[in-house]
Amino acid sequence: MARFNAKKLKHIAVLTSGGDAPGMNAAIRAVVRVGINNGLAVTAVLHGYEGLIRREFQKLEAGSVANVIQRGGTIIKTGRCKEFYSPKGRALVARNFLEAGFDGLVAIGGDGTFTGAHALWLEQGIPVVGVPGTIDNDVYGTDYTIGFDTAVNTALDAIDKIRDTAASHDRLFIVEVMGRNSGHIALEVGLSAGAEEVFIPENKVSIKNVCDQIQRGINRGKKSSILICAEGHTPGQSYEIAKKIKKIGGYEAKICILGHIQRGGSPTASDRNLASRLGAAAVHFLKAGQTDIMAGEINKKIVAVPLKDTFGKKKGIHADWLKLEKTLSI
């Protein structure tokens, strides 16, 4: 575990980077108030790493984060910064960071955020702790990421409504959910929504088998079906699945792509609590002189995970959940 001299830690910065996720504001709130409670000054870097390029800083007080825990998105804005991808860009970030008087950084985001944070420590010696904030739940080293639970519940609410229409019209629906290259959202939504099939990157599905399953349902009187599809590398692959189902089984499928609706909205209690615990833990790790780590949660316990593992190792899906989903969809 990497360490630094925390005796000089007086002023920390916090940023959110990459896609926004419900619960990020709760994490920011925790960083600010726990930081202040530990005698630290806290400043927000606006618009993620790009804010360090542009020197977009905002001093935060305890009152700055009042009435934000229930808000979706991120009050300090987020973004992706191409300039930060290069060593030259990171050198500029480090120079601006030190000139602003910052001694440590809390970076809230996903694997891309942590890749940059890890490079900042290795190349520039900037003390940094990550907090996993992404709806995709694809970060290794933590059971859940901030925003995942809210995204699942948002998608589930939409699918429950779609099922009403599917049942009313005796239709087959394919609902596409977010998750980038990960099937975590699709699998959890599929299981909780009672979907007939889940298409995820981690598991190959035979279209012929799907068509056979649809037909078995029809034979026992089933009039409508819901299939869940993870977006994968490119959103819209559910249209290709629909074409194959039409060609192989002759079934017409309606498509519903939920898209960015899953990123917004008020965070659930689970996401608010997770964000509060992880944001607080990030400050405590910095105070203890720990760096180049992510604050994660495994089995309800806070853990310190090397940043290189968060994006260098693959987080698998629950294979037993996938098996159960198939069993229950018969």
Side-chain angles (χ1 to χ4, degrees):
M1 197 73 67
R3 303 192 67 85
F4 71 102
N5 183 4
K7 292 182 178 179
K8 298 181 179 180
L9 188 72
K10 303 295 182 184
H11 193 172
I12 63 173
V14 58
L15 61 79
T16 49
S17 176
D20 61 299
M24 280 184 165
N25 288 326
I28 296 165
R29 173 178 178 269
V31 170
V32 171
R33 293 189 170 175
V34 173
I36 291 173
N37 189 58
N38 280 269
L40 302 174
V42 184
T43 294
V45 177
L46 306 181
H47 297 102
Y49 290 119
E50 188 171 346
L52 281 166
I53 298 284
R54 298 182 178 180
R55 295 173 175 261
E56 295 182 287
F57 307 136
Q58 179 182 329
K59 184 72 178 296
L60 298 176
E61 305 291 348
S64 304
V65 289
N67 200 32
V68 303
I69 195 170
Q70 79 281 8
R71 291 172 57 183
T74 164
I75 59 171
I76 61 176
K77 310 300 181 180
T78 187
R80 294 180 172 87
C81 179
K82 290 184 178 180
E83 191 172 354
F84 187 68
Y85 295 166
S86 70
K88 182 179 178 180
R90 291 191 290 271
L92 175 59
V93 161
R95 183 163 67 250
N96 291 341
F97 184 91
L98 296 174
E99 288 178 356
F102 304 143
D103 307 308
L105 173 66
V106 176
I108 306 170
D111 54 4
T113 301
F114 297 158
T115 301
H118 178 59
L120 264 185
W121 167 252
L122 289 184
E123 298 170 3
Q124 304 296 332
I126 299 296
V128 58
V129 174
V131 174
T134 169
I135 68 168
D136 299 336
N137 199 35
D138 58 350
V139 176
Y140 179 89
T142 185
D143 287 338
Y144 295 104
T145 58
I146 298 165
F148 174 70
D149 186 70
T150 305
V152 167
N153 278 280
T154 298
L156 183 60
D157 181 65
I159 291 166
D160 285 345
K161 292 178 172 64
I162 291 168
R163 188 176 283 281
D164 289 343
T165 295
S168 296
H169 293 269
D170 295 342
R171 284 177 177 168
L172 165 65
F173 268 85
I174 302 177
V175 181
E176 185 171 310
V177 299
M178 296 183 80
R180 203 173 47 170
N181 303 321
S182 164
H184 290 279
I185 292 178
L187 178 55
E188 187 141 342
V189 167
L191 181 59
S192 55
E196 279 68 33
E197 186 59 80
V198 175
F199 297 89
I200 57 177
E202 297 89 344
N203 182 63
K204 297 294 183 181
V205 175
S206 164
I207 298 297
K208 174 64 166 58
N209 290 344
V210 172
C211 292
D212 290 344
Q213 184 171 334
I214 293 171
Q215 186 58 53
R216 285 195 296 271
I218 292 173
N219 291 343
R220 63 180 175 84
K222 190 174 181 63
K223 301 296 185 181
S224 64
S225 296
I226 298 287
L227 311 179
I228 306 297
C229 172
E231 64 183 1
H233 291 283
T234 306
Q237 70 165 324
S238 51
Y239 287 102
E240 292 302 314
I241 293 174
K243 289 179 182 178
K244 293 177 181 177
I245 289 176
K246 172 65 174 176
K247 181 178 180 180
I248 295 174
Y251 306 111
E252 292 280 357
K254 295 292 185 179
I255 306 297
C256 183
I257 300 177
L258 297 185
H260 285 79
I261 187 176
Q262 296 157 91
R263 279 192 183 171
S266 182
T268 61
S270 292
D271 273 330
R272 297 183 199 191
N273 291 336
L274 177 64
S276 298
R277 292 196 302 273
L278 297 184
V283 176
H284 291 312
F285 283 141
L286 283 173
K287 284 286 291 183
Q290 293 180 267
T291 181
D292 197 29
I293 57 172
M294 177 194 74
E297 186 185 70
I298 300 292
N299 295 327
K300 299 298 182 181
K301 293 183 178 180
I302 299 296
V303 295
V305 184
L307 282 179
K308 65 179 180 179
D309 288 349
T310 65
F311 55 85
K313 294 184 178 181
K314 177 69 174 177
K315 182 177 184 178
I317 61 167
H318 293 288
D320 54 335
W321 288 22
L322 184 61
K323 183 178 179 179
L324 178 60
E325 191 281 328
K326 291 186 180 300
T327 299
L328 297 179
S329 67
I330 295 175

